Amino acid sequence: MAGRRALHFVFKVGNRFQTTHFFRDVLGMKVLRHEEFEEGCKAACNGPYDGKWSKTMVGFGPEDDHFVAELTYNYGIGDYKLGNDFMGITLASSQAVSNARKLEWPLSEVAEGVFEIEAPGGYKFYLQNRSLLQSDPVLKVTLAVSDLQKSLHYWSNLLGMKIYEQDEEKQRALLGYADNQCKLELQGIKGAVDHAAAFGRIAFSCPHKELPDLEDLMKKENQTILTPLVSLDTPGKATVQVVILADPDGHEICFVGDEAFRELSKMDPEGSKLLDDAMAADKSDEWFAERNKPKASG
């Protein structure tokens, strides 16, 4: 559908310092913006938690034309149990492979020129040992589904995604809104999809005027709406409107009005410093503890 964009995937992170190290120093992403919130999100952006939390957007370039990661940190929660729902993000970056080797971050070659690597918390990434010129290195997000045909009906027929590839034998399909955007890969698995506590959320934008129609369509089709159309405030920044849906396997999907989101998602040159300051102030954070460890005497 014209005007729709793949935006980001939301990760819940328990160790903010190690996670920041992975995304910044291993993958080579930049901190695009960092925001602190005193109470839980009205659309459960930080999960089912009411307390203080932070959001850090990291990526290879501006959110206007790059698929990025949203790192959600709930103060006081050190880890989340993983399910089988998120199967990985694939990106093309020989620099990331080089960084991982240099920093001795574990890599395993799963196919020729493709390396599996784990972020803190166990989230898998697949690094293709090649580089793309003038385009986003993030190629696809892979999610597990229990019934591929049912999922294809939802994502293609209802949400309007184009099917780029489909393999019945391997029970997989590749979908997207545009050739130059990050794709969504659906991978069939045996049994139920388990989201556990670490469940993420994938976000897309659409023209603001489409949000009510999208909500109406989901009601008409008896599909799950987790959060009806609501306005979300970010201190000192643009207010956006979102609808939160769930696909047949319970994968959370955020649709946000594109016009306001472009304003909200402008890169903040102070983002990296804001994150570092927040980690320094967080006494539960490993970074703070390590930095302030007493020196051995003698």
Side-chain angles (χ1 to χ4, degrees):
M1 286 201 177
R4 294 194 176 182
R5 291 191 295 137
L7 299 178
H8 56 257
F9 192 84
V10 181
F11 294 98
K12 292 190 190 73
V13 304
N15 187 320
R16 192 163 51 172
F17 170 65
Q18 284 293 341
T19 301
T20 299
H21 173 53
F22 175 80
F23 280 92
R24 272 202 296 212
D25 303 328
V26 180
L27 295 186
M29 292 183 175
K30 300 180 183 73
V31 174
L32 304 172
R33 53 190 170 101
H34 176 80
E35 293 146 8
E36 295 278 332
F37 301 87
E38 291 301 318
E39 58 186 28
C41 172
K42 285 190 285 186
C45 312
N46 61 316
Y49 307 99
D50 294 329
K52 185 178 177 182
W53 64 289
S54 75
K55 174 201 297 183
T56 308
M57 309 303 290
V58 293
F60 290 105
E63 293 176 67
D64 268 359
D65 51 13
H66 289 75
F67 189 86
V68 308
E70 177 178 317
L71 310 179
T72 296
Y73 175 70
N74 289 292
Y75 283 83
I77 300 179
D79 60 74
Y80 300 89
K81 184 183 177 187
L82 278 178
N84 63 1
D85 51 346
F86 174 78
M87 299 185 75
I89 284 181
T90 300
L91 55 96
S93 173
S94 54
Q95 185 61 55
V97 174
S98 173
N99 292 344
R101 286 172 171 155
K102 199 177 299 179
L103 295 167
E104 298 183 345
W105 200 283
L107 279 175
S108 59
E109 192 164 14
V110 292
E112 188 176 350
V114 180
F115 297 86
E116 182 182 289
I117 189 170
E118 270 191 20
Y123 303 111
K124 285 184 168 52
F125 285 75
Y126 295 91
L127 310 181
Q128 295 182 1
N129 195 11
R130 63 189 181 98
S131 294
L132 300 176
L133 295 175
Q134 298 178 328
S135 64
D136 186 5
V138 182
L139 303 177
K140 65 182 179 182
V141 178
T142 305
L143 301 179
V145 298
S146 59
D147 183 329
L148 183 59
Q149 288 307 316
K150 196 173 181 181
S151 294
L152 283 174
H153 169 73
Y154 182 90
W155 288 94
S156 181
N157 294 1
L158 299 185
L159 292 186
M161 278 191 150
K162 175 183 173 182
I163 299 174
Y164 283 86
E165 298 173 15
Q166 187 174 348
D167 188 327
E168 288 293 336
E169 189 179 342
K170 292 182 178 176
Q171 280 294 290
R172 66 171 289 275
L174 192 71
L175 302 94
Y177 280 123
D179 295 356
N180 62 344
Q181 291 183 21
C182 175
K183 304 299 187 294
L184 171 66
E185 182 177 53
L186 304 176
Q187 178 60 60
I189 62 169
K190 291 179 180 176
V193 174
D194 175 17
H195 298 276
F199 64 90
R201 175 181 287 180
I202 191 164
F204 303 90
S205 70
C206 66
H208 173 261
K209 64 183 181 183
E210 291 182 12
L211 289 171
D213 294 338
L214 179 60
E215 185 175 335
D216 288 345
L217 173 64
M218 291 301 159
K219 285 177 184 172
K220 180 184 164 193
E221 296 289 332
N222 295 315
Q223 299 294 332
T224 303
I225 299 172
L226 296 174
T227 305
L229 187 60
V230 65
S231 294
L232 299 181
D233 299 323
T234 298
K237 296 188 178 181
T239 295
V240 297
Q241 288 199 305
V242 303
V243 174
I244 312 297
L245 311 174
D247 82 346
D249 286 295
H251 289 292
E252 293 195 1
I253 308 153
C254 171
F255 273 90
V256 59
D258 189 72
E259 299 86 345
F261 185 78
R262 285 185 186 271
E263 185 65 31
L264 170 67
S265 63
K266 285 180 178 176
M267 186 172 174
D268 181 358
E270 294 293 307
S272 200
K273 182 181 183 299
L274 289 171
L275 171 60
D276 288 338
D277 289 349
M279 289 193 293
D282 180 12
K283 293 179 174 55
S284 67
D285 203 296
E286 179 185 309
W287 182 80
F288 183 91
E290 199 62 35
R291 191 183 189 192
N292 291 277
K293 187 188 292 182
K295 291 180 182 176
S297 58

